[in-house]
Amino acid sequence: MDADTKKTALRMIPYGIYVLTVADKNGAIAASTVNWVTQSAFSPPLVVVGVKADSATYAQVKETGRFALNMLGKGQQGIAFSLFKPAQVEEGKISGEPYRAGSTGQPLLENAFAAVECKVTDIVERGDHHVIVAEVVDAHVGQALEGRPDSTILEMKDLGDNVFYGG
Amino acid sequence: MDADTKKTALRMIPYGIYVLTVADKNGAIAASTVNWVTQSAFSPPLVVVGVKADSATYAQVKETGRFALNMLGKGQQGIAFSLFKPAQVEEGKISGEPYRAGSTGQPLLENAFAAVECKVTDIVERGDHHVIVAEVVDAHVGQALEGRPDSTILEMKDLGDNVFYGG
């Protein structure tokens, strides 16, 4: 397999930008910007997220079995880039972003356009990122969206001409 | 959980449009348009596809353990819509689309912009669609792409203002 061809083919997959947040039972919070996300079933509503296997966020999701997926909107590049780095939780903010607890106790970024709260059902431990399968148990839309929801989300290609996370 | 809120939040996830093709060891072919696709690891290169659990395509992927994911390009709405219906294979074409066998024997649509040939590693049998995890073992790019690869793929929102497969 030619490495450049593989990279180009896989980079055709379009991605939105999300902040995965997780609080453990003691309230400790981890958060990371992620993009490898898809729905995988309507009934029950399932989502799949690929998460870096050696990250603090992954370890906490695996232990807690819960997380929230915060959908960023157009113009929120700053939040995406700040959460490429390990999250700093202080003064009631996650890396400077205000949040509140959702119905399941998971952190919801106040400025995200939408969020889903999830319960992990399965993990496939394969590769440098693992596959987390989770049921959506609550959902939030923070502001009225104009037009198609998938036209309002911040996308990978909005982060810069040469920014990719795939290939 | 409010059903409309859940639908709107999940419809923020952007999707490309793909034709999943599979040939069994006797050469019988199944094919379907799919959109629930994400990469899930760099090493090895893994992709995840959500496939309708009661479909002929799913049954054949599960039995064969192989498939190809053909990336459609801008303007190829016709191929996407024709393969929402069960594939008709005749005169060397899949629902009218010419194809050839890839290095692993899986069908590659001649007109697709790119394709990856995959070997199934894991299946999570949960929900009305199941989660297929697969390693990319070969890749093809059919034509020189201009600009970002993720700007050239046919997207769900290109299929019509009210066409969604998610929520």
Side-chain angles (χ1 to χ4, degrees):
Chain A
M1 178 165 59
D2 178 72
D4 282 343
T5 303
K6 178 203 62 168
K7 188 162 70 176
T8 299
L10 288 174
R11 287 182 174 181
M12 283 191 73
I13 303 172
Y15 295 108
I17 303 292
Y18 313 83
V19 175
L20 192 160
T21 52
V22 51
D24 71 14
K25 60 188 175 190
N26 300 317
I29 288 173
S32 298
T33 298
V34 299
N35 66 288
W36 285 346
V37 170
T38 184
Q39 188 167 354
S40 71
F42 287 112
S43 179
L46 299 176
V47 292
V48 168
V49 188
V51 181
K52 200 161 182 288
D54 63 1
S55 67
T57 300
Y58 173 74
Q60 198 153 321
V61 169
K62 189 173 174 180
E63 186 192 326
T64 306
R66 300 271 181 175
F67 64 91
L69 202 57
N70 296 269
M71 281 76 167
L72 298 185
K74 294 295 183 202
Q76 298 191 312
Q77 284 87 341
I79 305 176
F81 281 113
S82 75
L83 283 157
F84 281 141
K85 293 166 287 203
Q88 305 293 328
V89 181
E90 50 189 14
E91 296 177 8
K93 295 183 177 180
I94 300 173
S95 297
E97 285 296 315
Y99 69 95
R100 61 190 167 87
S103 63
T104 66
Q106 293 305 305
L108 306 179
L109 299 186
E110 297 279 11
N111 293 322
F113 278 29
V116 288
E117 296 184 69
C118 301
K119 181 178 179 180
V120 176
T121 59
D122 305 271
I123 295 180
V124 180
E125 299 188 353
R126 185 175 299 281
D128 52 6
H129 294 58
H130 290 175
V131 175
I132 297 171
V133 183
E135 182 173 345
V136 174
V137 294
D138 205 357
H140 311 271
V141 176
Q143 30 192 299
L145 304 179
E146 288 185 23
R148 293 179 63 102
D150 54 359
S151 291
T152 66
I153 195 165
L154 182 67
E155 292 174 281
M156 179 60 69
K157 57 191 170 194
D158 299 325
L159 297 185
D161 288 347
N162 298 306
V163 180
F164 292 95
Y165 194 85
Chain B
M1 177 166 62
D2 179 71
D4 282 344
T5 303
K6 178 203 64 169
K7 188 161 70 175
T8 300
L10 288 174
R11 286 183 174 179
M12 283 191 73
I13 303 172
Y15 295 108
I17 304 290
Y18 314 83
V19 176
L20 191 160
T21 51
V22 50
D24 71 13
K25 59 187 173 189
N26 300 316
I29 288 173
S32 299
T33 299
V34 299
N35 66 287
W36 285 346
V37 170
T38 183
Q39 188 166 355
S40 71
F42 287 113
S43 180
L46 299 176
V47 291
V48 168
V49 188
V51 181
K52 201 160 181 289
D54 63 0
S55 67
T57 300
Y58 174 74
Q60 199 153 319
V61 169
K62 190 172 173 181
E63 186 192 325
T64 305
R66 299 274 182 172
F67 64 90
L69 202 57
N70 297 268
M71 282 78 167
L72 298 185
K74 294 294 184 203
Q76 297 190 313
Q77 283 86 341
I79 305 176
F81 281 113
S82 74
L83 283 157
F84 280 139
K85 294 165 287 200
Q88 304 292 327
V89 181
E90 50 189 12
E91 296 178 7
K93 295 182 177 180
I94 299 173
S95 297
E97 285 298 315
Y99 69 95
R100 62 188 166 87
S103 63
T104 67
Q106 294 304 305
L108 306 178
L109 299 186
E110 296 280 10
N111 292 322
F113 278 29
V116 288
E117 295 184 69
C118 301
K119 182 180 180 179
V120 176
T121 60
D122 305 271
I123 295 180
V124 179
E125 300 189 353
R126 186 175 300 280
D128 53 6
H129 294 59
H130 290 176
V131 176
I132 297 171
V133 183
E135 182 173 345
V136 174
V137 294
D138 205 357
H140 312 270
V141 176
Q143 31 192 299
L145 304 178
E146 286 186 25
R148 291 179 64 102
D150 54 359
S151 292
T152 66
I153 196 166
L154 182 67
E155 291 174 282
M156 181 59 69
K157 58 191 170 195
D158 298 325
L159 297 184
D161 287 348
N162 297 306
V163 180
F164 291 95
Y165 195 85

